[in-house]
Amino acid sequence: MSCVFCRIATRQAPATIVYEDERAVAFRDIAPQAPVHILIIPREHITGPLDVSEDREALIGHLVAVAAKVAQQEGLAADGYRLVLNQGRNGGQSVFHLHVHLLGGRRMTWPPG
Ligand code: AMP
């Protein structure tokens, strides 16, 4: 299995997992860009946001719900947080397994870089 996030989801590669269920896994980003930086991924290998077909809408909603649960766990609910999905080169995507970035613990800027 060549995809690093597939290997994390099956515990064949190391990661600090903070939440998992039958459809999703959440783990700490290896190069955090904020005091809290967690990635939420589907267990299913989906290459990115462009690969999200209508039959996967429920799964994507689940990832946002997991992000909310993890944000509560991490103490981000009161001050808020940012969710980011990157697609392709212009989006800044570097790992081609769909992931939602959960960023918090500092004030985010807008527009993003
Ligand atoms: P993106 O640029 O949106 O594709 O984000 C990929 C993210 O995955 C980056 O923030 C990386 O720091 C993170 N990342 C890459 N490899 C690992 C890993 N083995 N464990 C945890 N996070 C990783």
Side-chain angles (χ1 to χ4, degrees):
M1 192 190 299
S2 62
C3 170
V4 63
F5 286 2
C6 283
R7 280 189 272 123
I8 287 173
T10 54
R11 293 185 179 264
Q12 293 172 272
T16 304
I17 292 175
V18 297
Y19 174 90
E20 64 183 318
D21 62 26
E22 68 287 349
R23 286 184 286 168
V25 181
F27 54 93
R28 296 197 190 280
D29 196 293
I30 205 167
Q33 301 301 310
V36 177
H37 188 173
I38 289 166
L39 302 173
I40 299 109
I41 66 166
R43 287 190 185 277
E44 180 187 357
H45 183 84
I46 298 169
T47 55
L50 194 61
D51 202 22
V52 175
S53 46
E54 279 182 19
D55 60 330
R56 285 165 167 155
E57 285 176 357
L59 176 60
I60 304 311
H62 183 64
L63 300 182
V64 175
V66 168
K69 201 174 292 189
V70 173
Q72 295 271 8
Q73 274 178 27
E74 297 286 324
L76 303 178
D79 289 338
Y81 55 89
R82 180 170 291 176
L83 301 181
V84 175
L85 287 93
N86 294 325
Q87 170 63 46
R89 189 173 51 239
N90 276 1
Q93 187 179 8
S94 61
V95 176
F96 293 87
H97 180 127
L98 182 77
H99 48 281
V100 177
H101 293 260
L102 166 62
L103 297 147
R106 68 170 169 84
R107 185 70 69 90
M108 301 298 152
T109 58
W110 194 265

